[in-house]
């Protein structure tokens, strides 16, 4: 019986996803990425939660529905697919909130939710996803704060919550994400200062917090980030002298509010400079 079904990038596939696919109970991987499917995620997919035959248990491990035109909410039953290691729902038109029970999916290593119309908050149960390596939820309408529970995601290398309406401070617990390599938090409504705990993110290569409401100065401890390649802090109220970062060997690009006669930031190695009028130029 069929275990792998890959129909990725068939642009002629449209209409709703057939409910009868839910009858393929032995599927381990279902990939419908990059088609023109519309409508909701079929409720028949809830049958993928477990299939037992002669003491052998099989469950869906990869569900890839990204880059379609799916609508409706992320169904709450999807959190019953507890053997999923990868759930890809990005680049659709999904609405509603991220299910609170998402933390039950403890085998998840990748959760892709970007470029939808999701609202509500990031559930605190995300901290239960300790096997997670990539969490992307950018370009939605999420609000509330970044939960402190992200500090439990010690295996995450990619964390993207950019282009939302998140408020509050960047949690100090971000420093506990010791595998973090790419962190994009730009264009939210984040406030407070940059946490000095970032010094513990020794593998950090890209850190983008541009276009928020951050204040204060850049912690000098960031000069310990020897792998840092890209740092964007422009369009905030962050000031001070950051020339101490210029000696980082891997640094390719810094963006800060260093434009004009009286810049907020002193930086001799910045590649992108902005001013208080939100004007930005390449240095």
């Amino acid at each position: 019986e069929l275990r792998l079904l890959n129909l990725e990038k068939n642009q002629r596939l449209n209409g709703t996803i057939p409910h009868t696919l839910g009858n393929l109970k032995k599927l381990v991987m279902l990939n419908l990425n990059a088609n023109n499917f519309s409508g909701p995620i079929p409720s028949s997919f809830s049958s993928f939660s477990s299939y037992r035959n002669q003491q052998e248990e099989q469950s869906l491990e990869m569900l890839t529905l990204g880059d379609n035109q799916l609508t409706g909410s992320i169904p709450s039953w999807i959190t019953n697919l507890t053997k999923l290691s990868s759930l890809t729902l990005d680049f659709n038109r999904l609405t509603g909130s991220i299910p609170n029970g998402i933390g039950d999916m403890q085998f998840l290593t990748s959760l892709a939710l970007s470029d939808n119309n999701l609202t509500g908050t990031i559930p605190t149960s995300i901290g239960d996803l300790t096997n997670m390596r990539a969490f992307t939820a950018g370009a939605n309408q999420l609000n509330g704060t970044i939960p402190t529970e992200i500090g439990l995601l010690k295996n995450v290398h990619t964390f993207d919550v950019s282009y939302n309406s998140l408020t509050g401070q960047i949690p100090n617990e971000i420093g506990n994400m010791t595998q973090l390599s790419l962190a994009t938090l730009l264009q939210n409504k984040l406030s407070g200062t940059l946490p000095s705990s970032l010094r513990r993110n020794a593998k950090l290569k890209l850190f983008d917090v541009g276009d928020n409401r951050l204040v204060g100065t850049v912690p000098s401890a960031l000069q310990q980030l020897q792998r840092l390649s890209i740092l964007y802090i422009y369009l905030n109220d962050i000031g001070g002298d950051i020339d101490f970062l210029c000696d980082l060997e891997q640094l390719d690009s810094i963006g800060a509010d260093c434009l004009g006669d009286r810049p907020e930031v002193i930086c001799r190695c910045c590649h992108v400079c902005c001013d208080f009028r939100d004007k930005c130029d390449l240095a």
Side-chain angles (χ1 to χ4, degrees):
E1 194 171 335
L2 194 64
R3 300 189 66 188
L4 307 175
L5 181 57
N6 186 353
L7 298 174
E8 185 175 19
K9 294 182 179 179
N10 286 282
Q11 294 297 326
R12 294 183 181 180
L13 292 178
N14 53 40
T16 57
I17 298 174
H19 280 262
T20 51
L21 288 179
N23 296 329
L24 301 174
K25 299 186 187 303
K26 287 191 176 182
L27 275 184
V28 176
M29 185 271 282
L30 175 59
N31 186 354
L32 303 179
N33 197 62
N35 286 290
N36 284 311
F37 287 118
S38 57
I41 300 171
S43 58
S44 63
F45 283 12
S46 62
S47 65
F48 290 138
S49 60
S50 180
Y51 175 80
R52 186 179 294 276
N53 180 29
Q54 296 178 349
Q55 305 304 315
E56 179 186 8
E57 184 173 348
Q58 295 174 327
S59 298
L60 194 67
E61 298 176 6
M62 297 182 64
L63 180 59
T64 306
L65 305 177
D67 201 4
N68 281 284
Q69 301 177 45
L70 300 178
T71 55
S73 61
I74 300 174
S76 58
W77 53 255
I78 210 164
T79 62
N80 294 327
L81 305 182
T82 54
K83 297 298 178 66
L84 277 184
S85 63
S86 175
L87 177 60
T88 302
L89 302 175
D90 54 357
F91 296 96
N92 279 291
R93 301 175 182 177
L94 297 171
T95 55
S97 59
I98 302 172
N100 286 325
I102 199 74
D104 294 335
M105 307 176 73
Q106 295 188 17
F107 285 95
L108 271 184
T109 60
S110 175
L111 179 59
L113 305 174
S114 295
D115 288 87
N116 280 287
N117 296 304
L118 299 175
T119 55
T121 61
I122 300 173
T124 57
S125 64
I126 190 176
D128 294 327
L129 302 177
T130 53
N131 290 305
M132 183 83 73
R133 296 178 183 174
F135 175 75
T136 55
N140 280 289
Q141 301 172 36
L142 299 174
N143 54 44
T145 60
I146 300 174
T148 58
E149 286 79 3
I150 65 168
L152 300 172
L153 304 179
K154 300 183 185 302
N155 292 307
V156 163
H157 58 71
T158 299
F159 185 77
D160 176 16
V161 292
S162 57
Y163 300 102
N164 281 289
S165 296
L166 298 171
T167 56
Q169 299 188 13
I170 301 172
N172 281 321
E173 288 79 2
I174 194 172
N176 297 332
M177 303 170 72
T178 52
Q179 298 299 313
L180 190 62
S181 176
L182 307 175
T184 50
L185 315 178
L186 73 152
Q187 208 166 106
N188 280 283
K189 300 175 182 178
L190 298 173
S191 56
T193 60
L194 293 177
S196 59
S197 62
L198 285 167
R199 69 184 184 279
R200 300 201 300 269
N201 300 110
K203 296 186 177 182
L204 194 61
K205 295 180 179 178
L206 183 153
F207 188 65
D208 189 348
V209 292
D211 201 358
N212 278 285
R213 300 173 181 177
L214 299 169
V215 298
T217 60
V218 176
S220 60
L222 263 62
Q223 63 188 316
Q224 299 177 30
L225 302 180
Q226 296 299 315
R227 299 188 185 184
L228 190 64
S229 176
I230 297 174
L231 175 67
Y232 291 148
I233 58 172
Y234 54 77
L235 301 182
N236 283 286
D237 286 318
I238 296 173
D241 189 330
I242 61 172
D243 278 349
F244 61 88
L245 295 175
C246 295
D247 294 330
L248 290 174
E249 292 183 1
Q250 301 297 320
L251 198 62
D252 288 330
S253 182
I254 300 182
D257 294 331
C258 49
L259 190 64
D261 296 331
R262 300 177 63 184
E264 291 187 66
V265 173
I266 304 300
C267 177
R268 60 180 165 82
C269 59
C270 279
H271 301 81
V272 180
C273 282
C274 303
D275 64 13
F276 66 93
R277 293 183 297 271
D278 293 352
K279 175 185 176 183
C280 297
D281 287 336
L282 294 176

